[in-house]
Amino acid sequence: MGEPSFSGLSKSERVLGEFKPDSLYQTPVKPPKARKEYHEMKMFGDVREEEAYYGGLKAEAKDKKGDEIYNINISNAQTGIILETIEGVTSNFEWAGEALVYIAMDKETCRPYEVYLHNLRTKQASDKCLYHEEDDKFLLYVQASEDKKFLFVTSASKTTSFNYYLDVSKPEDGLKAVTLREKGIDTSVSHRENYFFILRRTNELFNSEVVACPVACPLDKTAETIVLSHRKSVKIQAIQLFENHLVVHERENGLPKVTIYGLLGVGEQVQSLQGGFTVPFGDDPTYSAVPLVSEFNSSILQICYSTLKTPPFVYEVDMKTDRVVRKESATMLRAFDASNYVIERKWATAQDGTQIPISIVYRKDRVELNGSAPLLLTGYGSYEDCFDPSFEPSWLCLLVRGFICAIAHVRGGGEMGRQWYENGKFLKKENTFTDFIACAEYLIENKYCSKEKLSINGVSAGGLLICGVLNMRPDLFKAAVAQVPFVDVLTTMLDPTIPITTLELEEWGDPREEVSYYNMKSYSPVDNVKAQNYPNTLVTTAYHDARVMCSEPAKFVAKLRDQKTDENLQLLICSFNGGHFLERDAELDQKALIYAFIMKSLNLIPNP
């Protein structure tokens, strides 16, 4: 499947709609540069879908329950007639000519662990297994190179990854190694002409480097060229290859940065790159800049930009001339005036002296910074994920009512580089919770709100964060919402039969080891509920959730109700029609309920 593509093709271009096949399987004969491929992910009803077009064929993965077990339907893109179905797999797949490469999962643990090649007009039972990953700490995924000439299969744990490639023109040749399994080394691969470009992270080069190696001998370290060296203050997050350019997506001082380098002509020796053009993003103190997938042979780079007060729009960069054009979204909000809003970036001091960034937004004509405003504080802080401050339309209903909304960029995330993540996991996981508490205290001390006006919200591992700080400092908050929270850490991590548990050992620790056991027990929310006052709390879960079993939030709420010494609400809501992720309508309904709960808890809704 790979990343969703936003290539701008019309529907007819995507499926070559004027072609009239002689058979249901027939696809148009086009030279490689004219062939159109397209990927998209969408959700509607209770269905999650992933789809990819190749010529006149469409492959579409559907999950109708929310348990993230998919069927892939291959159909004629014009008629919609389903030709064949691949059942019980992940949503991760790619076309390899007229064959399909997909990832299968372990039926018990839901771990993506096998790569298969499916030839059209054949039964799924006869599909060829290209690779089986035996180590239960690793999962597999497949992604196409930017030029669509290769597929890259990656086996990854939380600390290590290595890669194979498949020549799309010769899928029958199977997988060949690009990088080897080396503990503590992460690699991802791109391709241009005679070279593989490898983004590589090691313990020493923690913010990553970019190297190039010949396609003919990718494992020969002596043939490598360092394209971009490691820098302690700048994290290389991803690279994006074009025919004549290399785009590097970086993070510096916690903010996204995009730098463009010109490449030498085809056939010339790859060299170390210097200088480069950094895309100017203006003066916003905090923002989100997300790369959009573009055509490999194009000289136009597209970046989706937004802030907490700026709806998304696209920067188009002409990489030949460095000209940057802002393209407004066709779906701009009516009657929305960004000048009515203020965004700020502040820094809270953690208990060990570390400065923690906070992104803040409020409506300047509705808020006085005297401690009287209601405030919603959210955070995540796990898996090296970056919680970048992008436009959140649902927050508008709070902002117009005088709320301040804020994001605490706590350790365990990836906003400030690799070490920011390393200092919020394993034996240092407590930093995630104490950082969030420090951010809450900063907002109170600086008159953004008071304890009586402070609400908090987090999802999944962010729900763990919320429930963890509730146990540690329940006096700081008036209302808390934890959505599908991972709260029974010890019980889950002690049971390898629970879905994806083994994949998480390098994130949270192995509780079969004494040091890890007592560390995890010190913050696991279920294991730290005690007799004290708790704020109004709303917890959500889903019956078909394959990532956080619904028993975890239920157990946490039951313990809260049993132990608490107050009269505040402790609510549990379970969805029986979805999983860890909700489709759009259900998500909007849940957000409305959450915001109503928060406003009621903060005494902003009068009693009937």
Side-chain angles (χ1 to χ4, degrees), residues 305-368:
Y305 178 93
S306 75
T307 75
L308 291 174
K309 71 169 186 176
T310 310
F313 64 85
V314 173
Y315 275 122
E316 281 197 351
V317 185
D318 187 329
M319 295 184 285
K320 290 181 179 179
T321 65
D322 295 341
R323 182 169 179 261
V324 181
V325 177
R326 171 174 171 160
K327 296 215 163 186
E328 297 293 347
S329 169
T331 57
M332 291 291 287
L333 296 172
R334 294 179 182 177
F336 175 78
D337 186 354
S339 65
N340 290 328
Y341 296 82
V342 176
I343 54 173
E344 298 176 352
R345 192 185 197 207
K346 299 297 183 181
W347 300 82
T349 302
Q351 63 180 15
D352 62 358
T354 301
Q355 295 296 294
I356 313 299
I358 311 171
S359 298
I360 301 169
V361 61
Y362 57 89
R363 184 160 168 154
K364 60 187 178 183
D365 60 342
R366 302 292 173 87
V367 170
E368 294 184 16

Side-chain angles (χ1 to χ4, degrees), residues 238-258:
I239 61 174
Q240 192 175 1
L241 268 175
F242 291 80
E243 190 172 32
N244 297 305
H245 297 88
L246 173 66
V247 178
V248 183
H249 299 276
E250 303 168 313
R251 300 193 72 86
E252 186 172 19
N253 196 31
L255 297 175
K257 178 182 176 183
V258 179

